[in-house]
Amino acid sequence: MYVVLDIETTGGKYNEEGITEIAIHKFDGHKVVDRFISLINPEKEIQPFVVNLTGINNKMLRTAPKFYEVAKRIVEITEDAVIVAHNAQFDYRILRTEFRRLGYNFERKTLCTVELSKQLLPDAPSYSLGKLVRSLGIPVSDRHRANGDALATLQLFKLLLSKDLDKTILKNVLRNETHGELSPKQLDIVESLPSELGVFYIHNKDGDIIMLSKSNNIKKRINQYFINNGPKARKIQKETKRVTYERTGNELAAMLKENSELIRNKPKYNSNYKRRLFSHGLYQSINEHGYLSLTAQKIDPKKNAIATFNSLIGAENFLHAIRDEFQLCNKVNGLSQAKKECSYYTESKCLGACCKKESVESYNNRVKECIKKYSIPTQDILILEKGRETGERCGILIKNGNFKGLGYFSLNHQINNAHILESVITPMDNNDNTKHIITSYLRKKRDIKILEL
């Protein structure tokens, strides 16, 4: 659990500042579950430059609650949570100072989005909150007011979590938690998980990921692990201390995230993470008469497959489907062993490439159209799919035929601005598995929106 907060102060000498406004958003990693926003009467004058910066003046704060009146609420909302702030050292110091004045020792773990941004967004032009969020296309209103800055920090933190493919944020938080036996609350962990599409991560006591997987129903999948009596499942049950998850909103993003994070994290119970996801491919060649031939074969690492499949049957079924779609020849494509023309020719379903009654150029042009349609796109495109919530879209970026990564967008200008688009996209490895995942998905989902860049 996190509490994303921002504090405005009176300014003045070090450790003599007073709080003028505070905004806290309690965030469970997916949604805001509680919030507290209030002006605070600091019982001292505000420095003039601060008034000009924030717009908060002494008159506005005369009837605002004093810090001791809201202290209990702050303790409650931040309990058992990690404080997240932009320049967290400042906000945490101010809070601790105010509580110390009341004779209370306020201690919480902290995460600084400045430091996280430097790690996960190394090419950002600036790490000041205003410039950073603008460069990422994150809207910000009421700049230098507590709630405006807290909301901007919250959106920034969501982006950083999605870019944290190595899960260093979660690992550090979990590693610092008190180790011990599972509490009743942790035993009931299944009930806290959503029945949604996404990727889940099973952590051990050190916060390390021991298993991860995509699932159409995260709650159901974890429940299956917890009730399974198999030897592997029992080992996982024994080592599990926490299950975290990321909703993806669509199956393509879930498959790509799973593939990328298996390679990066190498969980001990995902022993097959290195395996190729496909066994057969569709290959092109030219027969003795000059006709382009498409044949289903076992994967040949030395050749580039037009499309890849999990089995020979799957590849041949696809070949039958495109034969009908593009009026291709059974015999040329190895689907018919007839000595002369194939049966489709006699039924007038084949245009006659097998008996050379159609010109090579005419036939080959149709084959090239087929190859272009079902190969991974070579131009720069953004595949747009459903996001995690209403009003959000997921974009899968492909440049020059190479998968670059994915990101989530809530505003059109984030997609239409190339610089912002690149900043919001979480980079992921391009490999044979990602090409297989994307082309297979596009074959099945004909109604996907594709935006040419």
Side-chain angles (χ1 to χ4, degrees), residues 48-101:
F49 82 91
V50 176
V51 175
N52 291 332
L53 182 67
T54 65
I56 301 172
N57 56 50
N58 294 301
K59 185 177 180 180
M60 291 170 58
L61 304 180
R62 285 176 188 167
T63 58
K66 297 178 176 62
F67 184 79
Y68 74 86
E69 295 177 282
V70 299
K72 183 179 179 182
R73 174 71 170 124
I74 294 171
V75 169
E76 290 173 345
I77 197 172
T78 61
E79 193 169 14
D80 297 323
V82 179
I83 289 176
V84 179
H86 206 70
N87 190 10
Q89 185 179 11
F90 171 80
D91 296 82
Y92 186 51
R93 175 180 66 82
I94 295 296
L95 267 181
R96 294 204 71 192
T97 299
E98 288 282 14
F99 276 107
R100 197 177 295 117
R101 291 168 184 159

Side-chain angles (χ1 to χ4, degrees), residues 8 23 44-45 85 111 116 151 153 205 262 290 343 348 361:
E8 302 299 332
K44 61 179 66 179
E45 293 296 308
L111 283 173
L116 293 174
L151 287 172
T153 303
K205 62 182 178 61
L262 281 173
S343 60
S348 300
E361 182 181 4

Side-chain angles (χ1 to χ4, degrees), residues 183-228:
S183 66
K185 182 179 179 181
Q186 289 170 317
L187 289 171
D188 202 31
I189 194 170
V190 172
E191 291 304 313
S192 68
L193 298 173
S195 300
E196 293 184 49
L197 171 64
V199 180
F200 64 82
Y201 312 87
I202 300 177
H203 303 264
N204 64 12
K205 62 182 178 61
D206 294 319
D208 295 325
I209 299 169
I210 58 173
M211 184 174 185
L212 69 86
S213 180
K214 72 171 183 67
S215 176
N216 291 324
N217 187 326
I218 295 172
K219 181 194 288 285
K220 182 178 179 180
R221 184 73 174 275
I222 293 296
N223 186 64
Q224 288 170 344
Y225 276 115
F226 283 3
I227 63 175
N228 193 315

Side-chain angles (χ1 to χ4, degrees), residues 307-326:
T308 49
F309 304 86
N310 298 326
S311 66
L312 178 60
I313 293 175
E316 289 182 341
N317 286 342
F318 177 71
L319 198 51
H320 280 288
I322 61 173
R323 173 204 61 198
D324 294 339
E325 182 181 358
F326 289 91

Side-chain angles (χ1 to χ4, degrees), residues 378-413:
T378 56
Q379 69 270 43
D380 294 355
I381 64 166
L382 192 68
I383 300 171
L384 291 175
E385 266 286 29
K386 288 197 307 182
R388 299 160 296 188
E389 53 200 36
T390 304
E392 183 180 70
R393 300 299 298 274
C394 174
I396 292 89
L397 180 63
I398 295 174
K399 296 186 73 175
N400 299 318
N402 294 314
F403 169 63
K404 292 297 182 180
L406 62 87
Y408 292 89
F409 315 89
S410 55
L411 300 170
N412 284 332
H413 82 270

Side-chain angles (χ1 to χ4, degrees), residues 382 384 409 411-421 451-453:
L382 192 68
L384 291 175
F409 315 89
L411 300 170
N412 284 332
H413 82 270
Q414 289 179 294
I415 298 174
N416 297 327
N417 184 306
H419 175 71
I420 292 176
L421 175 62
L451 180 69
E452 291 193 17
L453 303 176

